[in-house]
Amino acid sequence: MNTMKVWLLMGGLSILLVLMGNAIGGSSGAMLFFLIAMGMNFFTYFYSDKMAIKMTRSYPVSEAEAPELYAMVKNLSRRAGLPMPKLYIQPSDQPNAFATGRNPAHSAVAVTEGILRLLSPKELEGVLAHELAHIKNRDVLVGTIAAALAGAISMMGSALQWGAIFGMGRSDDEEGGGGMLGGLVMAIIFPIAAMIIQMAISRSREYMADATGAQIAGSPEGLSNALLKLESAAHRLPPMEVNPATSHLFIMNPLSGASMARLFSTHPPIAERVEKLRAMRR
């Protein structure tokens, strides 16, 4: 199922780019943008994890710099039967975390500076186990590629808007192209398409990662307590300054303070997640 989702995401991107090329440059534009789509699909498959790390402004951390964090992740990785992922820290006061990578051998886990200050060791272990569960369940590739494609589509939509404003592209009376009007229409459609791609990421993967993470950690208590603390902090702190295309990667929505983010959230309610974890404990 996850492999099918990856192909659907890449196929959707290709169709959007071909339509955009046709709207701007007719059949020749469609061919050019088809080639661009193929290049982007190749790049996002192999380098989407690096794009996600860059979009979140995370930086690598060594074992000497964070020995307790490394020891915790090593222990949890051993329990989960996974190779040790690369570790990153995101410079943000909002407590949060995410995992990325195309497979367990090429995976990474990032935590914010805020979460390291807020959570107890047992709670942090629960969050890290949740992120390793995403890697173990092999759904991290779908989320990572979706983040890369949604970010690329949003940037292209912005470029099209400016291009339409300054009259770039074919004129409306040239055969096969929509010119400024086509570019403007695509500029409106592309951000909506990026949003749809994010919404295609099933909320059920968070429930599954919670359950698998609780098994890896040995108890659901740490994760359930951590989720309540993260939700409380999200209400006190302003939304994270992060590319919206990456919001579905995090353990909880980093844009939870924004009404539009709640409307199109890819995360299930924290109360429901906590209730399911407490049911496991009972």
Side-chain angles (χ1 to χ4, degrees):
M1 179 60 69
N2 284 329
T3 301
M4 185 182 298
K5 285 181 180 179
V6 169
W7 285 107
L8 287 174
L9 287 171
M10 291 181 169
L13 172 71
S14 302
I15 292 171
L16 282 171
L17 284 176
V18 170
L19 290 174
M20 184 182 78
N22 185 69
I24 296 175
S27 58
S28 59
M31 179 57 67
L32 173 62
F33 276 67
F34 173 76
L35 296 176
I36 292 174
M38 294 301 99
M40 285 188 64
N41 285 335
F42 176 85
F43 184 84
T44 52
Y45 182 83
F46 288 101
Y47 299 102
S48 53
D49 55 337
K50 294 179 176 62
M51 291 177 65
I53 291 295
K54 187 174 182 179
M55 283 193 286
T56 57
R57 299 181 295 111
S58 302
Y59 58 88
V61 62
S62 67
E63 187 169 6
E65 294 170 320
E68 293 179 0
L69 180 63
Y70 261 80
M72 192 176 292
V73 176
K74 277 185 178 180
N75 182 44
L76 291 170
S77 298
R78 186 167 55 251
R79 291 188 200 173
L82 295 170
M84 176 72 181
K86 296 178 181 177
L87 295 186
Y88 291 83
I89 292 180
Q90 184 182 352
S92 174
D93 289 331
Q94 188 186 105
N96 223 316
F98 70 92
T100 184
R102 66 180 185 269
N103 56 41
H106 300 85
S107 61
V109 172
V111 295
T112 64
E113 295 172 349
I115 203 172
L116 294 176
R117 292 193 295 265
L118 178 69
L119 299 186
S120 69
K122 185 174 183 178
E123 293 164 348
L124 181 59
E125 185 179 66
V127 169
L128 292 171
H130 170 97
E131 298 308 329
L132 290 174
H134 277 308
I135 297 171
K136 185 178 181 65
N137 293 341
R138 303 298 181 106
D139 60 10
V140 70
L141 173 62
V142 180
T144 304
I145 285 183
L149 296 187
I153 289 173
S154 297
M155 286 189 292
M156 286 186 290
S158 178
L160 280 172
Q161 287 178 337
W162 285 106
I165 290 172
F166 290 103
M168 295 172 63
R170 295 165 60 99
S171 61
D172 291 337
D173 57 353
E174 288 185 83
E175 183 181 355
M180 286 178 54
L181 180 60
L184 187 59
V185 170
M186 298 305 293
I188 296 171
I189 292 175
F190 264 47
I192 297 174
M195 196 175 295
I196 291 173
I197 284 178
Q198 283 187 283
M199 292 175 67
I201 307 303
S202 174
R203 293 186 179 196
S204 62
R205 78 188 193 110
E206 290 300 323
Y207 290 126
M208 186 177 295
D210 286 345
T212 305
Q215 293 172 355
I216 294 172
S219 168
E221 185 176 0
L223 179 56
S224 62
N225 291 341
L227 288 173
L228 292 173
K229 279 191 177 181
L230 296 181
E231 183 180 40
S232 176
H235 291 309
R236 296 195 314 269
L237 298 171
M240 185 185 294
E241 295 182 6
V242 67
N243 191 318
T246 64
S247 62
H248 62 272
L249 291 177
F250 290 84
I251 190 170
M252 65 172 294
N253 194 341
L255 307 174
S256 57
S259 58
M260 285 298 289
R262 289 196 300 270
L263 179 62
F264 295 104
S265 177
T266 56
H267 293 68
I270 293 295
E272 292 182 13
R273 296 171 64 180
V274 170
E275 178 56 33
K276 287 182 179 292
L277 287 167
R278 287 176 174 172
M280 289 179 62
R281 185 173 58 191
R282 289 194 296 268

